[in-house]
Every structure is written in C-alpha cells, then in structure tokens.
Amino acid sequence: MRADSGDGHPVLTVEDLTVVYEVETPVTAVKEASFTLAAGEILGLAGESGCGKTTLAYAINRLHKPPARIASGRISFHDRDGEDIDLLGLDEKRLRAFRWSQLSMVFQGAMNALNPVLNIRAQLEDVLIEHDPGLSRAERRARAADVLRRVGVDPLRLVSYPHELSGGMRQRVMIAMAMILQPQVMIMDEPTTALDVVVQRDILREIVRLRDELGFAVIFITHDLPLLLEISDRIAVMLRGEIIELGTADEVYRNPRHDYTRRLLGSFPSLSGSRGSFIRTGVEEEA
Ligand SMILES: Nc1ncnc2c1ncn2[C@@H]1O[C@H](COP(=O)(O)OP(=O)(O)O)[C@@H](O)[C@H]1O
Ligand SMILES: [Mg+2]
C-alpha cells in the first residue's frame, strides 16, 4: 500500500497514534493510527459513529482535552519551507499560531458555533486580526469579502448576523473562516451532516472545486462512505479506533479488503454505475 497518493509530497504524517480516554474503565478511542496526507489531496475518513474519527481529528489539532490523552505516537507537519514540525512538541503559544494558519478545522456542528452577536465580517476579521495583525483595515475587509465569495456566499452577507443565514450558508461561513489564512491542511469533521442532501452536495462540490483551485489538502470525515467515494482521492476506514482500510477511492470501491468496508459500501445507491459521477461531473472534464 502506498503511503501517499502520488505526486504530492506529504504535508502531514501520523504514526502509530493512540488516544485514550482516561475514565474509570479507560477507552482506547484511537489505536495506533498511521497515515500520510499528501499536499493537495482529499483524504476521506469513514467509519460508523463512535469509531474514533472525531477523537483522531482533535488529537491531530492538539485540541483534545482530559480525559483524552495521547498515549503514544507521532504527528509531523511538513510546512511550505520544507521544515518538519513536531506537533506533539509544540508549546501552547506556537500551537495557537500554527492552528488556523497552517492547519485548520471545521468542527462537527460548527455552523452553530458562530457568535450570535457579531456579524459575519467581524468574525472573519477576528481571525485576521489575531494571526495577521499587520493587515490594514481595508486589506482585512477585502480578504473577508474575497473568502466569502470563494465559498459561494454573496459578500453583501458580510453585514449579516448568523441567525439571518440558512444552515448551509452558516456552514459555508465556517469553511471560509477555516480557509481565510490559506492553511495547507483543513480537517472537516462531518461538515455537512446536519444539512439537507441538496445543500450538502452543493457544499461538497464547492470544497472539491476550491481544493482544485487553491491546492490545500483536506481530511474529510463522515460516517457516510458512499459520499466520501465521490470526493476523496484516498479513503481510510476506521473500526473501533483502528484504521482497517486505506487506499485510493477506486481501490476501496472496487476491491475493499475488509468485510466491514463492504458493509459500509452496501448502502451505495449505484445510480450510474461509476463512483463519483455526481459531484465530480464538471470537475474532472478534459480540457
Ligand atoms: N469524553 C469522553 N470520555 C470517555 N469516552 C469518550 C469521550 N468522548 C468520546 N469517547 C469515546 O471514544 C470513542 C470514539 O468517539 P468519537 O471520536 O466521538 O467517535 P466518532 O467521531 O467516530 O463518532 C467512543 O467510543 C466514545 O464513547
Ligand atoms: Mg464524530
């Protein structure tokens, strides 16, 4: 099995990561997980509820809190200057600078995490003020408008408050916020699960398009494996804390190695006979 998807050099390497919830009967939520994320690739992480996906995502971001503890393993980030950053060795200050600017996360249910008393512009600009204090007010405004446009929200919405936006729009705003500092990696944990199917598809299509345009890498997490097949370059399947399957989306679709993967695939409505036809239409068209 190849460690990366091909041409892209690795941006993130996770090795033998084990995360334990130190409760009365300790729960090993992530067991010796290893994978590499290549620059610009979309890696789908699938598995049923409770298998450890969110725990893994939080640990990579070092956002896990007690009782969760990283029991062992290594996480390295390979930045644009070719420097390797040992994520488990960063102190809080360097970690804060690192998050958002190099690695950002869209949380499960993030659309409800917007501040209800600030308009969208203020929330986007806050990220810039914190991480890029040298920007002028005009530059900040331009960046906020630009990133909103990129995720398909009219910049007129900058002056809107969260309650004035639909769920889909709020989720797009969260994605805009995660993108605004142009990180190399975005982790998206069930970003569209709460949305209806049509809105979900629109947003997924947008994420693939933005990746094609801007070249960031994505770890896209969902319990919905068929959906992942449509947008991912490679797919990892988790079962009870372990990555039991890792391969290109085509390999996983055509030749799953595990019965469990086969079961997750079982619900795939084969409308066209080929994977990815819905979302990738138009994206992969030959010039
Ligand atoms: N705070 C906690 N204390 C103890 N166990 C937890 C805690 N949070 C999550 N877990 C356990 O860790 C496992 C993985 O959970 P989670 O990472 O949320 O899975 P997923 O995101 O795949 O649904 C589950 O068995 C869950 O019960
Ligand atoms: Mg989860």
Side-chain angles (χ1 to χ4, degrees), residues 45-53 190 221-225 228 236-239 260 264:
L45 180 61
E48 285 164 328
S49 180
C51 72
K53 305 181 299 295
E190 311 254 10
I221 299 173
T222 171
H223 60 279
D224 187 344
L225 178 55
L228 275 189
V237 178
M238 272 180 99
L239 172 64
Y260 178 71
L264 290 183

Side-chain angles (χ1 to χ4, degrees), residues 184-199:
Q184 282 198 87
V185 176
M186 285 203 263
I187 300 179
M188 301 190 181
D189 188 3
E190 311 254 10
T192 59
T193 301
L195 304 170
D196 74 59
V197 173
V198 176
V199 175

Side-chain angles (χ1 to χ4, degrees), residues 21 23 27 29 47-56 67 108 189-190:
Y21 287 96
V23 285
V27 178
E48 285 164 328
S49 180
C51 72
K53 305 181 299 295
T54 295
T55 304
L56 176 60
Q108 209 165 331
D189 188 3
E190 311 254 10

Side-chain angles (χ1 to χ4, degrees), residues 165-239:
L165 304 180
S166 67
M169 268 198 243
R170 275 180 302 178
Q171 196 59 298
R172 286 171 190 266
V173 169
M174 294 307 297
I175 295 168
M177 206 177 278
M179 278 179 43
I180 198 166
L181 297 171
Q182 299 170 335
Q184 282 198 87
V185 176
M186 285 203 263
I187 300 179
M188 301 190 181
D189 188 3
E190 311 254 10
T192 59
T193 301
L195 304 170
D196 74 59
V197 173
V198 176
V199 175
Q200 177 171 334
R201 299 244 169 217
D202 284 348
I203 292 181
L204 290 174
R205 200 182 277 123
E206 207 83 64
I207 291 168
V208 173
R209 191 183 60 70
L210 287 166
R211 184 283 304 263
D212 292 347
E213 190 181 314
L214 302 172
F216 51 73
V218 180
I219 299 178
F220 194 99
I221 299 173
T222 171
H223 60 279
D224 187 344
L225 178 55
L227 184 113
L228 275 189
L229 287 168
E230 303 200 28
I231 61 165
S232 306
D233 299 307
R234 284 187 313 146
I235 289 187
V237 178
M238 272 180 99
L239 172 64

Side-chain angles (χ1 to χ4, degrees), residues 61-193:
N61 251 291
R62 294 260 318 270
L63 283 168
H64 62 290
K65 293 196 175 64
R69 181 176 69 85
I70 295 180
S72 58
R74 284 166 303 281
I75 308 174
S76 344
F77 189 90
H78 316 289
D79 76 7
R80 289 187 181 89
D81 309 324
E83 200 190 321
D84 283 353
I85 301 171
D86 167 17
L87 287 196
L88 299 184
L90 290 184
D91 60 28
E92 269 305 316
K93 184 164 171 259
R94 292 181 58 208
L95 202 52
R96 269 202 306 278
F98 176 84
R99 280 189 207 126
W100 295 92
S101 61
Q102 309 236 43
L103 173 76
S104 67
M105 183 149 168
V106 178
F107 299 96
Q108 209 165 331
M111 59 201 225
N112 302 318
L114 287 165
N115 187 331
V117 302
L118 293 179
N119 69 20
I120 301 308
R121 169 182 282 150
Q123 302 193 51
L124 289 172
E125 287 192 20
D126 272 353
V127 180
L128 294 174
I129 290 169
E130 161 122 20
H131 288 270
D132 207 344
L135 289 180
S136 69
R137 188 155 180 252
E139 284 166 330
R140 280 203 308 270
R141 297 210 147 188
R143 285 271 292 274
D146 177 63
V147 77
L148 210 55
R149 194 179 301 112
R150 281 183 190 278
V151 299
V153 177
D154 191 320
L156 288 171
R157 293 295 193 167
L158 283 166
V159 293
S160 298
Y161 287 82
H163 74 268
E164 297 173 308
L165 304 180
S166 67
M169 268 198 243
R170 275 180 302 178
Q171 196 59 298
R172 286 171 190 266
V173 169
M174 294 307 297
I175 295 168
M177 206 177 278
M179 278 179 43
I180 198 166
L181 297 171
Q182 299 170 335
Q184 282 198 87
V185 176
M186 285 203 263
I187 300 179
M188 301 190 181
D189 188 3
E190 311 254 10
T192 59
T193 301

